[in-house]
């Protein structure tokens, strides 16, 4: 039986997926716009086709006779992944699920229909009379179809709304935005894997951001400081929400907030592994579970192996924004806690506008005292 695996995307975020697939004995067929990314060289076969060209990718996948198709850390890639999987009768999520989990408005409507706890939101397009928007401030303004902190603004009053909508709309593909209640509390993400509709939460990540207005992540820590009672509550909420979105065969990355009273609000859920090295690195070190391997297994119709392959440790990924961050990294390199440099783009120092253009990131192990 041929073991041809299609992978959508070739950036450094996809590199762990390509390497793991080759380690597992798959021949890797990688699709992406040709830009010189690391995945282009690492792949067994590379096809210079944009990840949004799903019909062209489908034709090539038919020709190759793939046994599965997957991607990690990209909402945009999941559209093509699930389209091709559905057309070829492979494992993936339905297209209805895909639309609900990549479009934040459709996601909010699904949560509303099914009673999942998420902030109130209002859909805005170019024809909306903004003067009639009635919502409690502060609010978050964000595109309906982007990820990675792109186009996100927190505003405190109606006088800021028009300009925030204009800027946020420019970042989106469909030129629509959500204006939604600002959820209070500590931010976390929940990493899970689903196979044939059965869900398994693998880890909860504690998140650190720049705060308002853009909330760009500065670091992530696993395991999060959360007790067993709250863990069970989070799992119950997430499993219900995954069912609401019809996520059945994929990884998932759920962003939530928990307030001082223990109330959970769902910010959003993606039907794919979390980016920012959360799924590819943090889950592996903090749980001992090979999450990337599990993603490939699900894509190929194999029940995921969730046994530990190493001893868990407390870990953190830190992102580089400034010269001071570089100095801190160089100091940590001299200690036993430094694990590895994952990405480094010093040309972006001082120019970060969202999660896609930070100057780099690295992984450290940490003592379990949870003080930042």
């Amino acid at each position: 039986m041929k073991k041809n695996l299609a992978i959508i995307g070739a950036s450094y975020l996809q590199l762990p997926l390509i390497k793991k697939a080759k380690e597992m004995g798959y021949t890797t067929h990688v699709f992406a716009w040709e830009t010189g990314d690391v995945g282009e060289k690492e792949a067994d076969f590379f096809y210079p086709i944009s990840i949004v060209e799903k019909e062209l990718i489908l034709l090539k996948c038919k020709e190759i006779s793939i046994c599965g198709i997957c991607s990690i850390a990209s909402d945009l890639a999941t559209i093509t992944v699930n389209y091709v999987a559905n057309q070829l009768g492979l494992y993936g999520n339905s297209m209805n699920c895909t639309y609900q989990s990549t479009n934040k408005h459709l996601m909010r409507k699904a949560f509303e229909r099914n009673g999942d706890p998420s902030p109130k939101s209002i859909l805005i397009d170019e024809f909306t009379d903004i003067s009639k928007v009635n919502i409690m401030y502060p609010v978050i303004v964000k595109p309906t179809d982007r990820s990675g902190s792109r186009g996100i603004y927190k505003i405190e009053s109606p006088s800021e709304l028009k300009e925030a909508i204009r800027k946020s709309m420019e970042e989106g593909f469909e030129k629509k935005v959500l204006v939604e209640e600002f959820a209070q509390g500590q931010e976390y993400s929940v990493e899970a894997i689903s196979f044939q509709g059965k869900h398994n939460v693998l880890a909860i990540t504690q998140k650190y951001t720049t705060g308002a207005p853009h909330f760009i992540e500065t670091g992530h820590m696993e395991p999060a400081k959360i007790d067993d009672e709250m863990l069970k509550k989070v799992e119950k909420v997430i499993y219900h929400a995954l069912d609401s979105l019809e996520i059945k065969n994929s990884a998932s990355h759920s962003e939530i907030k928990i307030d001082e009273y223990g109330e959970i609000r769902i910010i959003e859920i993606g039907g794919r592994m979390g980016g920012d090295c959360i799924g590819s690195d943090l889950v592996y070190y903090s749980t001992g579970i090979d999450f990337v391997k599990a993603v490939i297994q699900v894509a190929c119709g194999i029940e995921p192996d969730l046994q530990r392959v190493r001893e868990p440790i407390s870990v953190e990924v830190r992102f580089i924004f400034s010269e001071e961050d570089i100095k801190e990294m160089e100091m940590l390199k001299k200690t036993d806690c430094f694990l590895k440099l994952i990405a480094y783009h010093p040309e972006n120092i001082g120019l970060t506008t969202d999660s896609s253009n930070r100057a780099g990131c690295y992984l450290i192990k940490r003592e379990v005292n949870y003080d930042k």
Side-chain angles (χ1 to χ4, degrees):
M1 179 180 176
K2 290 183 179 179
K3 294 183 69 176
N4 292 321
L5 182 71
I7 294 173
I8 307 302
S11 76
Y12 79 94
L13 292 172
Q14 305 301 327
L15 190 58
L17 183 63
I18 299 168
K19 287 184 172 182
K20 179 58 64 174
K22 292 170 73 172
E23 179 187 310
M24 294 168 67
Y26 291 91
T27 300
T28 55
H29 298 263
V30 174
F31 297 82
W33 192 255
E34 190 168 13
T35 61
D37 279 331
V38 290
E40 299 175 22
K41 300 178 181 64
E42 185 67 31
D44 293 306
F45 296 93
F46 173 71
Y47 307 91
I49 304 173
S50 168
I51 67 171
V52 301
E53 297 285 352
K54 57 182 186 291
E55 293 291 351
L56 290 177
I57 293 174
L58 172 62
L59 287 173
K60 181 56 70 172
C61 286
K62 284 181 177 178
E63 179 187 322
I64 298 165
S65 187
I66 62 170
C67 60
I69 181 168
C70 54
S71 185
I72 56 178
S74 170
D75 282 335
L76 194 58
T78 63
I79 298 171
T80 295
V81 166
N82 289 326
Y83 176 76
V84 173
N86 277 269
Q87 291 294 312
L88 297 182
L90 300 172
Y91 273 74
N93 292 316
S94 70
M95 292 313 295
N96 187 57
C97 168
T98 305
Y99 300 139
Q100 291 185 143
S101 58
T102 58
N103 183 290
K104 293 175 175 58
H105 174 60
L106 297 180
M107 187 182 300
R108 286 278 178 263
K109 299 304 288 184
F111 290 156
E112 185 180 318
R113 285 194 305 272
N114 292 283
D116 299 292
S118 70
K120 173 187 175 182
S121 67
I122 299 171
L123 180 66
I124 305 290
D125 62 22
E126 59 181 318
F127 304 109
T128 303
D129 184 349
I130 297 172
S131 67
K132 294 183 179 179
V133 172
N134 182 22
I135 195 168
M136 185 77 70
Y137 286 78
V139 299
I140 292 290
V141 180
K142 60 186 178 183
T144 55
D145 54 2
R146 294 308 302 266
S147 59
S149 304
R150 296 174 182 89
I152 294 179
Y153 299 90
K154 179 188 177 187
I155 61 174
E156 303 290 338
S157 69
S159 64
E160 304 171 76
L161 185 59
K162 183 177 180 180
E163 180 64 8
I165 288 173
R166 183 191 67 79
K167 291 190 289 188
S168 185
M169 201 171 282
E170 287 177 351
E171 291 286 338
F173 296 116
E174 68 170 3
K175 306 305 177 186
K176 295 179 182 180
V177 303
L178 287 185
V179 176
E180 63 183 32
E181 296 172 326
F182 177 71
Q184 301 289 342
Q186 170 64 47
E187 189 172 355
Y188 301 89
S189 65
V190 184
E191 324 311 325
I193 189 82
S194 302
F195 181 65
Q196 296 182 342
K198 180 184 177 183
H199 313 302
N200 286 281
V201 165
L202 305 182
I204 298 181
T205 311
Q206 194 152 330
K207 302 167 74 72
Y208 301 97
T209 75
T210 56
H214 303 303
F215 300 93
I216 304 169
E217 287 90 347
T218 60
H220 305 296
M221 180 181 69
E222 285 183 18
K225 186 181 180 182
I226 187 169
D227 62 33
D228 289 343
E229 183 178 350
M230 180 55 69
L231 173 60
K232 290 177 182 177
K233 186 174 180 180
V234 168
E235 287 179 343
K236 183 178 180 181
V237 167
I238 294 303
Y239 290 159
H240 189 276
L242 292 176
D243 286 339
S244 295
L245 294 179
E246 302 174 26
I247 291 175
K248 296 183 182 298
N249 296 297
S250 71
S252 60
H253 174 72
S254 305
E255 296 183 352
I256 64 172
K257 281 191 173 181
I258 303 177
D259 68 17
E260 60 183 313
Y261 305 107
E263 294 301 313
I264 300 168
R265 306 290 290 282
I266 302 170
I267 307 304
E268 58 191 59
I269 295 178
R272 43 80 179 173
M273 180 186 284
D276 279 357
C277 308
I278 294 172
S280 56
D281 291 278
L282 292 189
V283 172
Y284 172 74
Y285 281 102
S286 74
T287 68
I289 295 169
D290 194 334
F291 195 8
V292 179
K293 178 181 178 181
V295 166
I296 295 168
Q297 289 175 317
V298 168
C300 295
I302 302 166
E303 186 169 357
D305 178 6
L306 303 182
Q307 298 297 310
R308 286 181 179 175
V309 296
R310 57 160 291 137
E311 283 300 310
I313 59 173
S314 181
V315 286
E316 181 179 346
V317 62
R318 292 188 179 179
F319 296 96
I320 301 169
F321 292 78
S322 66
E323 295 288 351
E324 289 301 313
D325 293 337
I326 294 176
K327 290 178 183 177
E328 182 177 27
M329 178 183 70
E330 293 301 328
M331 288 176 58
L332 287 166
K333 279 184 176 179
K334 300 173 184 176
T335 72
D336 292 338
C337 73
F338 192 86
L339 291 172
K340 63 178 176 177
L341 178 66
I342 296 170
Y344 190 47
H345 304 285
E347 68 275 11
N348 289 342
I349 291 292
L351 301 176
T352 300
T353 57
D354 56 55
S355 296
S356 69
N357 57 11
R358 290 169 298 201
C361 61
Y362 59 95
L363 197 68
I364 61 170
K365 56 184 176 181
R366 58 178 292 160
E367 299 298 327
V368 189
N369 59 20
Y370 297 104
D371 293 323
K372 181 70 174 172

